[in-house]
Amino acid sequence: MTAALAHLRVVEIGDDSGAYAGRLLAGLGAEVVRARVPQSAAPDSWSVDPDPVVQDFLHRGKAEVMLPAEESNRSAAIAELLRGADITIESGSTDVLATLGLDLDHPALADPELIRTRISPWGIQSERAGTPATDLISSAAGGFLALGGWPDRAPTRAYGDQSLRMASLYAAVGALLAVRARAISGSGQQVEVSVQESVATALENALQYSDLEGVVRRRVGAGYQEAGTGVYACSDGFVYVMVGRLSTAQGWVNLLDWLDEAGVPGTAGLRTTEWTDHEYRKSAAAQAEFRRIFESFAADRSKADLYVEAQRRNIAVCPVNSPQDLLASEHLNARDFFVTADRRRSVGAPFRLSATPWSLPVPTRVPA
């Protein structure tokens, strides 16, 4: 079977904010060449995670070429890489190519079919366009940190440079939309992605709350403090249960039916009228009573068993997994989610296409 993007050649250059976009396109079959910049020439403002495991994940499946350290030689090398390219992924500043010495009027950028995908912290036309930003700054400016953490202390930054991954997702989608448009019009275009704006992906329903109810959501800590929503102990760890206000009324009923079938003492008391009152369910007494009843039920059940049965009953329950739990997951292993290459085990395809399979070859190095 032919990969979906086997007809495309992509040149990626810049920091980590565009790296996952390149990995996604490579997995769909595009030839992705990552132009590495010598440390002496890389702007200090670029966001690059030094962890080799992270770099291996972001750049798996790409060919690599190290650019020359001298600017004159470097611009010529970039121009040569761009020859015949369908897409560029340029990330880290408002104009990565100009920063590295390639003039905007260089013939290499004159190809009318070229699709330039440009990812920067604030967007090319923003008032802050030239201002550098880290994942922490982008997450805060995009509103992500307003929802992360406890209300009585500083916000908590999510692990893994998530704002940069969000920007990469938009970059990949934007580039492919531009490919689709080029097939119709015959012309390439410029795709602009702002990391700060991409953070809107992670704001849950905060935008709807603001728009429809005039409510600005803020961080609430470990979760909504009410009976039926939160982390509860089981025989081998913990599960997260959501049958409170943010879930559905049917989820609460289904859970009570399950507890009744198991003969859990105290379940009948959860069906009294007061438990339909949200204010009562937020009380410390109600939370403690629900915890006592549910954890007595879960004490001899594993988180995997609770999860599977809850799924069958349409109840929102999920296991709190460790990395070891994920590696041992019966479901993920049955789906061949993990792959082994270079004697290292890593995550596989983030999605499956029936006619055009995902595939990431072992990276190669291309002579400069």
Side-chain angles (χ1 to χ4, degrees):
M1 292 184 285
T2 302
L5 305 183
H7 60 297
L8 296 178
R9 183 170 180 270
V10 180
V11 174
E12 175 194 314
I13 184 168
D15 70 0
D16 285 358
S17 59
Y20 189 56
R23 175 187 165 97
L24 289 172
L25 299 183
L28 291 170
E31 176 194 355
V32 179
V33 179
R34 175 196 177 202
R36 297 185 63 188
V37 180
Q39 188 172 359
S40 60
D44 294 336
S45 60
W46 280 9
S47 295
V48 178
D49 191 323
D51 188 335
V53 174
V54 174
Q55 292 303 308
D56 177 73
F57 170 79
L58 292 175
H59 300 299
R60 184 170 290 274
K62 306 171 187 177
E64 293 186 352
V65 57
M66 179 63 77
L67 296 174
E70 302 78 16
E71 183 174 302
S72 58
N73 294 336
R74 186 168 65 244
S75 62
I78 294 173
E80 183 61 28
L81 283 175
L82 294 181
R83 191 187 308 275
D86 296 282
I87 299 170
T88 65
I89 299 175
E90 310 162 32
S91 59
S93 53
T94 53
D95 201 317
V96 173
L97 300 184
T99 299
L100 296 176
L102 191 72
D103 295 333
L104 296 179
D105 58 355
H106 194 284
L109 297 176
D111 183 353
E113 296 186 5
L114 180 64
I115 296 168
R116 292 185 65 187
T117 310
R118 299 170 63 183
I119 308 161
S120 59
W122 308 99
I124 296 170
Q125 300 178 25
S126 166
E127 293 179 356
R128 301 181 182 179
T131 306
T134 62
D135 170 71
L136 177 64
I137 293 172
S138 296
S139 295
F144 196 14
L145 296 192
L147 301 177
W150 282 258
D152 59 342
R153 64 194 78 173
T156 301
R157 171 180 171 262
Y159 175 79
D161 289 340
Q162 291 192 23
S163 71
L164 308 187
R165 307 297 168 260
M166 296 175 212
S168 270
L169 289 171
Y170 280 108
V173 171
L176 292 181
L177 288 173
V179 169
R180 179 70 171 170
R182 187 181 68 176
I184 298 172
S185 68
S187 300
Q189 59 182 289
Q190 182 168 278
V191 177
E192 177 187 346
V193 177
S194 159
V195 177
Q196 184 245 348
E197 291 180 357
S198 299
V199 173
T201 303
L203 301 186
E204 300 177 344
N205 57 5
L207 299 179
Q208 290 85 343
Y209 261 97
S210 176
D211 182 39
L212 301 176
E213 301 186 24
V215 173
V216 177
R217 279 191 54 194
R218 297 296 183 188
R219 52 188 181 274
V220 296
Y224 286 83
Q225 301 300 309
E226 63 172 308
T229 294
V231 177
Y232 299 91
C234 60
S235 68
D236 62 346
F238 299 90
V239 290
Y240 187 86
V241 179
M242 184 183 284
V243 292
R245 187 182 185 191
L246 290 182
S247 183
T248 63
Q250 190 60 47
W252 174 265
V253 172
N254 291 350
L255 178 60
L256 296 188
D257 290 345
W258 189 10
L259 297 179
D260 268 334
E261 291 175 23
V264 179
T267 304
L270 299 179
R271 295 188 185 275
T272 59
T273 305
E274 62 187 353
W275 287 91
T276 64
D277 179 7
H278 181 242
E279 291 303 314
Y280 173 75
R281 280 161 57 166
K282 290 195 299 182
S283 69
Q287 292 184 56
E289 178 66 1
F290 179 86
R291 180 175 297 277
R292 181 187 67 79
I293 293 171
F294 182 82
E295 289 189 343
S296 69
F297 160 73
D300 60 351
R301 291 171 169 82
S302 70
K303 53 191 176 185
D305 289 341
L306 288 168
Y307 171 69
V308 170
E309 182 61 17
Q311 290 283 302
R312 190 181 71 80
R313 293 173 178 266
N314 294 320
I315 304 169
V317 174
C318 66
V320 179
N321 285 324
S322 67
Q324 291 74 23
D325 292 328
L326 291 177
L327 288 172
S329 167
E330 181 180 357
H331 170 73
L332 293 178
N333 282 290
R335 296 289 295 167
D336 293 326
F337 180 67
F338 298 107
V339 296
T340 301
D342 300 336
R343 294 182 294 181
R344 288 175 291 185
R345 201 174 186 204
S346 61
V347 297
F351 44 76
R352 297 279 179 92
L353 300 177
S354 60
T356 52
W358 169 280
S359 176
L360 280 177
V362 176
T364 59
R365 295 187 179 274
V366 178

